[in-house]
């Protein structure tokens, strides 16, 4: 009597609690990669200068070399910062994308797993006893 | 917490307890240890046959055996996932701040639930002593099997479900085997006297119970991670 009860309980769990747990696990991985690559923080500071390297403009001076150099260096540092952050965000997003894709594939596999087991059993028996 | 309240909490574990009765965690682990190398050995000639490196005379027998053993392995894997889902629920409940646990419910460890599930309602101490974790704890403390048998046969007052009152001594980790052992020691005087006669103090019993809890969790985690 215990076996049919267990089989029923298992199937109910397989298609209910396990599925919600599955997405919780995938969500944990997405959360992990999002924070590991600091995607939120890097997006907020996307145009900030690289490593906060900035050139201070000399106050009161109107000479081009005094303010032109500062502008060029600051714009350059912002471009470098933008480039480095974009690369890190892109790598992080690729990791998240892979996690979601693998999660989806494993999810589909999980859905058909009981059928797969049934197929393996039937096919295995038929091969073993030359039924097919 | 009364015995009835504990029974209600234990009901959440019922599917995993049922699984443990039918095919235990250890049996599943042993089966996987046996099946994995057999599957690998069967796989090698099959790959050789498919890639044309060798021609097997009984290919369908090989394929059949491989499929059947693969099915059994997958079933064991699925049952392990099922068991872990319930086993680690207690640990989830402990980390309520993560929004995973069930608020308002004091968690109970799987081992403690397993002991109380099998314990007869008219004799909780007996259930603890004859259970696998209980036997391990007493063995760890160096209590002789004969002495245990003698004690069980000569008891006069038995701790029944009605007399049983439970509370977790460590709210951080919920009710564990160590809590159960401590409650039995405090509420079953004959059990306490028996242990005292064996030169076992309260801290020794708690230490042995905590050791078992740690061992069981490490084993469960190792199985999940493998």
């Amino acid at each position: 009597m215990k076996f049919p009860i267990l089989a029923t309980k298992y199937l109910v769990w397989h298609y209910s609690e396990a599925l919600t747990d599955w997405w919780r696990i995938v969500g944990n991985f997405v959360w992990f990669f999002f924070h590991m690559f600091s995607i939120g923080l890097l997006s907020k500071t996307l145009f900030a200068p690289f490593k906060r390297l900035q050139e201070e403009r000399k106050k009161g001076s109107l000479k081009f070399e005094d303010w032109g150099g500062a502008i060029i260096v600051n714009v350059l540092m912002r471009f470098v910062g933008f480039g480095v952050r974009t690369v890190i965000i892109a790598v992080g997003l690729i990791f998240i994308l892979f996690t979601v894709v693998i999660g989806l594939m494993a999810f589909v596999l999980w859905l058909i797993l009981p059928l797969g087991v049934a197929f393996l059993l039937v096919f295995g028996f038929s091969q073993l006893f030359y039924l097919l | 917490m009364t015995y009835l309240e504990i029974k209600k909490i234990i009901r959440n574990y019922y599917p995993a307890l049922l699984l443990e009765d039918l095919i235990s965690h250890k049996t599943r682990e042993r089966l996987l240890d046996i099946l994995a190398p057999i599957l690998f050995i069967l796989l090698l000639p099959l790959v050789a046959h498919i890639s044309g490196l060798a021609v097997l005379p009984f290919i369908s027998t090989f394929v059949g055996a491989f499929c059947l053993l693969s099915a059994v392995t997958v079933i064991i894997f699925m049952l392990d996932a099922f068991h872990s889902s319930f086993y680690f629920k207690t640990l989830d409940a402990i980390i309520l701040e993560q929004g995973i646990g069930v608020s308002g419910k004091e968690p109970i460890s799987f081992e403690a639930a397993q002991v109380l599930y099998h314990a007869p309602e008219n004799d909780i101490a007996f259930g603890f002593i004859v259970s696998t974790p209980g036997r391990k704890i007493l063995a760890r403390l160096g209590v002789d099997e004969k002495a245990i048998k003698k004690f069980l046969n000569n008891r006069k007052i038995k701790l029944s479900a009605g007399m049983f009152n439970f509370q977790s001594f460590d709210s951080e980790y919920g009710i564990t085997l160590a809590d159960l052992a401590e409650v039995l020691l405090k509420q079953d005087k004959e059990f306490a006297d028996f242990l005292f006669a064996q030169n076992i103090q309260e801290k020794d019993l708690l230490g042995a119970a905590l050791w078992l809890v740690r061992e069981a969790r490490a084993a469960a985690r190792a199985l999940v991670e493998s």
Side-chain angles (χ1 to χ4, degrees):
Chain A
M1 192 58 198
K2 277 183 178 178
F3 181 75
I5 296 171
L6 180 68
T8 317
K9 294 259 179 205
Y10 177 82
L11 282 173
V12 170
W13 171 82
H14 190 99
Y15 288 108
S16 59
E17 208 172 318
L19 296 182
T20 50
D21 276 352
W22 189 267
W23 287 113
R24 189 161 62 85
I25 293 164
V26 173
N28 278 345
F29 274 104
V30 170
W31 180 90
F32 166 70
F33 285 124
F34 188 83
H35 288 277
M36 188 186 161
F37 289 94
S38 306
I39 292 173
L41 185 70
L42 292 182
S43 304
K44 277 181 201 163
T45 57
L46 193 62
F47 295 102
F50 180 64
K51 290 198 169 184
R52 295 162 78 183
L53 290 170
Q54 275 177 302
E55 190 72 25
E56 286 288 321
R57 185 167 65 89
K58 276 184 188 170
K59 280 180 182 174
S61 174
L62 291 170
K63 283 181 187 170
F64 176 73
E65 58 262 37
D66 287 338
W67 56 267
I71 287 175
I72 290 168
V73 168
N74 288 348
V75 169
L76 203 65
M77 284 303 118
R78 282 179 191 275
F79 267 115
V80 173
F82 172 76
V84 171
R85 286 189 192 97
T86 309
V87 169
I88 295 171
I89 289 170
V91 173
L93 289 176
I94 289 167
F95 269 82
I96 289 173
L97 189 72
F98 266 105
T99 307
V100 173
V101 169
I102 291 168
L104 269 172
M105 281 160 61
F107 182 76
V108 174
L109 192 72
W110 182 259
L111 287 177
I112 59 167
L113 205 55
L115 287 174
V117 169
F119 170 78
L120 279 174
L121 285 172
V122 172
F123 185 70
F125 270 115
S126 65
Q127 285 292 303
L128 207 58
F129 301 107
Y130 305 104
L131 297 174
L132 288 177
Chain B
M1 195 183 280
T2 62
Y3 185 76
L4 274 176
E5 286 169 326
I6 293 170
K7 274 268 172 183
K8 268 184 198 167
I9 301 173
I10 293 173
R11 224 173 274 164
N12 297 329
Y13 281 121
Y14 179 65
L17 291 167
L18 198 65
L19 171 66
E20 284 297 294
D21 282 353
L22 280 171
I23 174 167
S24 77
H25 177 74
K26 235 181 196 156
T27 312
R28 293 197 305 272
E29 206 174 344
R30 276 184 200 146
L31 273 172
L32 276 181
D33 285 345
I34 296 165
L35 284 170
I38 295 174
L39 274 176
F40 184 70
I41 291 166
L42 279 174
L43 188 67
L44 291 176
L46 281 176
V47 170
H49 183 88
I50 291 163
S51 59
L53 290 169
V55 180
L56 292 178
F58 305 107
I59 182 67
S60 55
T61 311
F62 270 93
V63 172
F66 184 77
C67 286
L68 285 178
L69 291 179
S70 299
V72 174
T73 310
V74 174
I75 289 170
I76 294 172
F77 160 75
M78 287 156 75
L79 291 176
D80 268 337
F82 179 65
H83 176 263
S84 297
S85 168
F86 289 93
Y87 185 91
F88 291 107
K89 216 171 246 178
T90 326
L91 300 181
D92 284 350
I94 290 161
I95 45 171
L96 272 175
E97 72 274 16
Q98 298 292 322
I100 298 164
V102 185
S103 61
K105 274 186 186 175
E106 190 169 22
I108 181 165
S109 78
F110 186 78
E111 293 83 15
Q114 207 172 2
V115 170
L116 289 171
Y117 174 72
H118 290 109
E121 289 195 10
N122 61 348
D123 195 353
I124 307 290
F126 174 81
F128 174 76
I129 293 165
V130 299
S131 69
T132 312
R135 280 210 309 269
K136 271 187 191 169
I137 290 170
L138 293 175
R140 173 92 174 169
L141 292 166
V143 182
D144 187 17
E145 288 259 344
K146 279 181 190 167
I148 295 170
K149 263 186 193 166
K150 199 179 163 192
F151 162 69
L152 288 173
N153 291 331
N154 297 331
R155 280 183 314 152
K156 290 177 185 82
I157 305 161
K158 290 172 183 172
L159 181 70
S160 66
M163 296 150 76
F164 193 65
N165 200 354
F166 211 113
Q167 71 172 85
S168 166
F169 296 98
D170 185 351
S171 57
E172 195 184 349
Y173 292 104
I175 297 166
T176 63
L177 267 181
D179 295 318
L180 182 60
E182 188 157 0
V183 166
L184 287 175
L185 201 68
K186 282 185 177 158
Q187 293 182 18
D188 193 323
K189 203 182 168 301
E190 276 187 71
F191 181 57
D193 290 343
F194 165 68
L195 290 180
F196 191 69
Q198 308 288 323
N199 285 328
I200 295 163
Q201 305 294 320
E202 188 182 336
K203 65 176 173 56
D204 300 326
L205 180 69
L206 286 181
L210 284 170
W211 162 79
L212 194 76
V213 172
R214 279 197 304 273
E215 288 284 304
R217 279 190 188 153
R221 280 207 185 280
L223 191 74
V224 169
E225 284 161 11
S226 66

